[in-house]
Amino acid sequence: MNPFLNTLRSAMLAIPLLLLAMGVQAEAPDDKPFAEHKLVLQISDGDPARQNLVLNVANNAIRHYGPEKIDVEIVAFGPGLSLLFADNPQATRIDGLAVDSGIRFAACENTIAAVTRMRGTAPELHARATPVDAGVVRILDLTAAGYTLISP
């Protein structure tokens, strides 16, 4: 094969790995192709009342528009990551919102790493939590993809 094409092929194969190493987030999901509204909710507060509020806001939006007409993702970082700990009192509610309404839950890997350093062990996350490189970056990516950011 042509040496130029070999080099080009190697470069093309390396690009996804380079992007992954740089922490580039994936594009916004398209799980709900008929959604007329896209909502990203930020939780960066460890206060149980604030965490309950963000779940209430998500639930109210789903009830108002219907689960097929709104796409909702809750992004947890900083002290708000505790919402997505496996032992959080809201765990059953998170399961219900994910299963019944398709709400997604993103957990900041930067915060997970910080908690791991502080505790000496990684926190056990809720099964519905999907790790993302950085919570703030995830929010920026979603807002760039047309999501409206609400930080209750």
Side-chain angles (χ1 to χ4, degrees):
M1 185 180 257
N2 180 325
F4 173 76
L5 292 177
N6 279 340
T7 302
L8 183 60
R9 175 190 269 167
S10 295
M12 294 302 286
L13 292 173
I15 288 173
L17 295 174
L18 178 62
L19 292 174
L20 183 62
M22 291 171 49
V24 174
Q25 295 283 325
E27 290 183 25
D30 196 19
D31 296 345
K32 294 187 174 184
F34 301 108
E36 297 169 2
H37 303 280
K38 298 176 181 181
L39 176 62
V40 56
L41 295 166
Q42 171 185 328
I43 183 63
S44 53
D45 193 320
D47 178 28
R50 291 293 292 251
Q51 293 179 356
N52 187 57
L53 177 61
V54 79
L55 296 175
N56 287 345
V57 169
N59 188 53
N60 290 342
I62 291 288
R63 278 198 347 244
H64 179 79
Y65 292 108
E68 294 304 317
K69 297 294 182 186
I70 187 165
D71 187 13
V72 179
E73 183 166 325
I74 296 174
V75 179
F77 62 93
L81 181 68
S82 63
L83 173 66
L84 299 181
F85 288 172
D87 61 354
N88 187 292
Q90 299 281 8
T92 302
R93 189 166 179 210
I94 289 169
D95 272 330
L97 289 169
V99 171
D100 298 337
S101 303
I103 295 175
R104 294 181 312 281
F105 295 86
C108 175
E109 287 183 337
N110 288 333
T111 304
I112 294 168
V115 170
T116 300
R117 283 191 301 276
M118 286 184 346
R119 292 183 174 183
T121 183
E124 183 181 349
L125 294 179
H126 190 284
R128 302 289 177 186
T130 300
V132 296
D133 291 338
V136 171
V137 172
R138 180 65 178 164
I139 290 170
L140 288 171
D141 289 345
L142 290 172
T143 58
Y147 284 68
T148 299
L149 171 63
I150 304 291
S151 182

